Amino acid sequence: MSAPEAPSVPTRRGFLGAGLRGALLFAAGAFTTLMGRHLRAERTVWQLDPYKCIACTNCATHCVLEQSAVKCVQFHPMCGYCKLCTGYFEPQPSGLNTGAENQVCPTGAIQRRALEDPYYEYRIDEPLCIGCGKCVVGCVLFGNGSFALQVRHDRCLNCNECAIAIVCPAQAFSRVPASQPYQLKTREHQA
Amino acid sequence: MNRSRPPAAVNRRGFLARAARRLGWVGLAGLVTARSRAGAPQTGGEPALRYNLDRFTKTDPKYLRFEEVGRVPSPRASLRRVTVGPSGHWYLAAGNHVCQLHPRTGPGWEVTLASTVRCVSPGPEGDLLVGVRDHLEAFDARGQRRSTWAAPGPKAWLTGVCATARDVFVADAASRVVLHYDRGGTLLGRIGTRGAGRTGGVFVVPSPYFDVHAGPGEELWVANPGRHRLESFGLEGTPKTSWGVASFDLAGFCGCCNPAHFVRLRDGRFITSEKGIPRIKVYSATGEFEGVVAGPEAFPEYLDNLNRGPVGLDVAVDEAGQVLVADTLAGAVRIFRERPSA
């Protein structure tokens, strides 16, 4: 007849070892789950919400690119085609002409073209635009707000941590699905 | 002679506690660094890149002809329009509601519509015409709905209405015309349609601010904001006269499209309201600049309103000649009285 086995005495070493094994198992499970989610998730890109943007000029100066990936875009369906466009002309211009001293844009990146009287079309010359948003302020403050800043994805490097998003005082930047990379303005939002 | 202290024994508990403390300090330092990077907005910007309106936001005191004498809070949020009826009642359009109130007796009735109220006009008998985006609704003097008028078009965007004893004029910013109805809602004509030799139409309305006001007499006044002027017509639509210039100076109308709203005092003078640089001014009956009712310094939050875009300050005049301003952001009607010395 064999003697009954004595109950094992818990030791500190055994307890810590079991705890470590459990923690490793948990970490492996969490890693697998996160990887699965990451692989299933849609790719996202940076974009700024034009209704939150306050055109603070940080987009022009904080992008890691030499010339910012943020550019002004013109939402033509919202444009009033004004003769005196406050996004194009300085406040109190000396004349409603294309003289540099009359233009809001510091780089002359807005093109003005006469349509039928008294309407004018305004287009952004993107290579010249530095994304300062000066025209956006003029347009939003007085008019329909058809000028707005957007991250242009043909230029954006899609950094993991966007240098502009970090300093954006309006917290207008967010990750959006790559399938819908732009945030458009609509007339419905007006008035 | 001192004996040297023996080195402290290394034990597991002490080692783990020290490691946890150090990790805590590192984590705290990381958190503070991240907060300081994210929480320090840099809004200064290069001066050359800033849109600067500073020189237009101060009013020379010698031009101030009115002073604020009171505020009446709106019973509802999103105050948009204010008007005064023949019995002295005020009608406030706020959100989907029109609230009647009397400055002495307090709130009266209230009506609720299906969508945002964009314009209101009391008739000479105390009845009320209320414009939503694409149609008008008529109410009697007790606030009971009498009729709903047909929409003038699928894209109509009504921004102004004015009722007289015989006619109703409605400003449609989408088609840039003033619609002329009889009191029963029958369309009689359109003012401002494209005529022979005129390619651009009469009215230039870049944004949904297009106001209309009838009287006194057989005269209709319409804001032509894209041309920065007020224009008068005969009630059948014949152009008569106009005045106004585009300018950021006090005497002119600033921005791309102003005035946003206007009203007339009993003596025929005009009270105009501008958006962008919020300023309310008084002009003579023939359009000469006389002074300022309230300058931009009376509405500081309107200049820092980039998220919402321009907000028009609707104006009305009560029986005592006081100017009522619908201050949307303050949610109140502000009352301005002419200074005795003015």
Side-chain angles (χ1 to χ4, degrees):
Chain A
M1 189 176 154
S2 59
E5 199 176 327
S8 61
V9 179
T11 63
R12 187 181 290 140
R13 182 170 302 218
F15 174 77
L16 286 173
L20 190 65
R21 279 195 296 278
L24 280 174
L25 212 62
F26 178 78
F31 179 75
T32 312
T33 309
L34 285 175
M35 282 305 290
R37 275 193 192 168
H38 180 72
L39 291 174
R40 273 202 312 274
E42 192 180 358
R43 192 173 150 265
T44 58
V45 292
W46 286 107
Q47 191 49 270
L48 72 103
D49 183 344
Y51 290 112
K52 288 184 181 173
C53 173
I54 57 167
C56 63
T57 74
N58 281 346
C59 288
T61 53
H62 283 75
C63 184
V64 295
L65 294 173
E66 192 176 342
Q67 198 184 84
S68 178
V70 175
K71 301 275 182 185
C72 179
V73 295
Q74 162 74 306
F75 294 92
H76 286 281
M78 292 185 65
C79 182
Y81 295 88
C82 301
K83 184 176 184 180
L84 198 172
C85 171
T86 44
Y88 182 84
F89 288 111
E90 281 281 0
Q92 202 73 311
S94 60
L96 298 187
N97 54 51
T98 55
E101 72 279 11
N102 296 325
Q103 294 186 38
V104 157
C105 183
T107 60
I110 307 175
Q111 296 170 345
R112 182 177 193 251
R113 186 170 72 94
L115 303 173
E116 66 175 16
D117 180 61
Y119 298 105
Y120 286 78
E121 182 189 60
Y122 298 89
R123 288 186 175 276
I124 308 297
D125 187 349
E126 277 204 7
L128 292 180
C129 176
I130 57 170
C132 64
K134 194 174 176 184
C135 57
V136 175
V137 178
C139 183
V140 173
L141 201 56
F142 290 96
N144 293 342
S146 64
F147 285 147
L149 293 176
Q150 287 282 277
V151 177
R152 297 310 307 242
H153 295 294
D154 55 341
R155 297 183 49 76
C156 179
L157 302 177
N158 204 19
C159 302
N160 206 23
E161 187 180 44
C162 172
I164 312 172
I166 292 169
V167 296
C168 177
Q171 300 191 344
F173 279 75
S174 63
R175 306 284 302 186
V176 299
S179 56
Q180 290 178 314
Y182 294 99
Q183 297 197 5
L184 307 182
K185 286 180 134 182
T186 62
R187 287 190 82 98
E188 299 305 312
H189 200 275
Q190 255 182 316
Chain B
M1 183 179 161
N2 288 339
R3 278 170 47 185
S4 61
R5 207 171 156 190
V10 177
N11 62 56
R12 189 178 291 138
R13 184 169 301 200
F15 172 78
L16 287 174
R18 279 195 301 276
R21 275 198 298 273
R22 282 171 190 164
L23 272 175
W25 282 116
V26 169
L28 196 64
L31 194 69
V32 169
T33 309
R35 283 276 171 103
S36 67
R37 286 178 73 192
Q42 300 175 26
T43 53
E46 299 276 334
L49 304 182
R50 298 198 67 201
Y51 193 87
N52 194 347
L53 287 172
D54 291 349
R55 65 195 161 118
F56 304 110
T57 56
K58 304 278 187 303
T59 309
D60 188 334
K62 73 180 180 190
Y63 293 116
L64 283 170
R65 298 293 182 92
F66 285 66
E67 60 190 352
E68 186 170 3
V69 292
R71 288 186 185 209
V72 177
S74 169
R76 293 282 186 174
S78 306
L79 176 66
R80 182 184 289 262
R81 307 299 294 261
V82 59
T83 186
V84 178
S87 58
H89 282 97
W90 297 2
Y91 298 92
L92 311 186
N96 292 11
H97 311 275
V98 177
C99 313
Q100 184 203 48
L101 65 87
H102 197 281
R104 282 190 298 276
T105 58
W109 48 258
E110 176 182 293
V111 295
T112 303
L113 289 99
S115 58
T116 305
V117 178
R118 295 181 182 276
C119 46
V120 181
S121 175
E125 292 157 12
D127 55 325
L128 196 68
L129 281 169
V130 179
V132 294
R133 180 172 164 171
D134 61 353
H135 70 273
L136 287 182
E137 301 202 11
F139 295 85
D140 65 19
R142 289 169 299 170
Q144 302 297 314
R145 188 180 272 104
R146 283 198 319 206
S147 61
T148 300
W149 294 18
K155 292 181 180 174
W157 196 311
L158 309 185
T159 53
V161 59
C162 180
T164 67
R166 210 181 57 197
D167 304 285
V168 174
F169 297 94
V170 182
D172 178 3
S175 56
R176 302 188 289 272
V177 295
V178 174
L179 305 159
H180 181 192
Y181 292 92
D182 67 12
R183 290 303 307 261
T186 306
L187 183 63
L188 302 176
R190 294 169 191 268
I191 301 170
T193 51
R194 293 181 178 217
R198 186 189 287 275
T199 55
V202 173
F203 301 117
V204 181
V205 189
S207 56
Y209 291 92
F210 184 33
D211 211 353
V212 60
H213 189 82
E218 300 282 299
E219 198 174 43
L220 179 73
W221 281 91
V222 185
N224 196 344
R227 296 187 194 271
H228 301 89
R229 63 191 187 207
L230 292 173
E231 299 180 354
S232 77
F233 296 83
L235 295 187
E236 75 296 338
T238 313
K240 285 186 169 177
T241 181
S242 69
W243 60 266
V245 292
S247 173
F248 276 72
D249 290 336
L250 271 181
F253 296 126
C254 67
C256 62
C257 32
N258 269 314
H261 299 290
F262 73 99
V263 70
R264 296 192 77 180
L265 290 162
R266 286 193 167 188
D267 57 11
R269 289 183 295 164
F270 291 86
I271 303 290
T272 63
S273 162
E274 291 166 64
K275 61 187 172 67
I277 298 175
R279 55 191 194 189
I280 296 163
K281 299 181 296 190
V282 56
Y283 290 86
S284 73
T286 50
E288 286 89 24
F289 171 70
E290 289 193 346
V292 175
V293 176
E297 51 278 277
F299 311 98
E301 64 275 31
Y302 283 74
L303 283 166
D304 187 22
N305 192 33
L306 272 175
N307 293 345
R308 277 172 283 202
V311 180
L313 295 153
D314 192 21
V315 284
V317 174
D318 70 6
E319 290 168 316
Q322 299 180 125
V323 176
L324 312 180
V325 179
D327 188 337
T328 304
L329 299 186
V333 176
R334 296 170 64 174
I335 307 164
F336 293 85
R337 183 183 296 156
E338 193 157 17
R339 289 176 174 169
S341 57

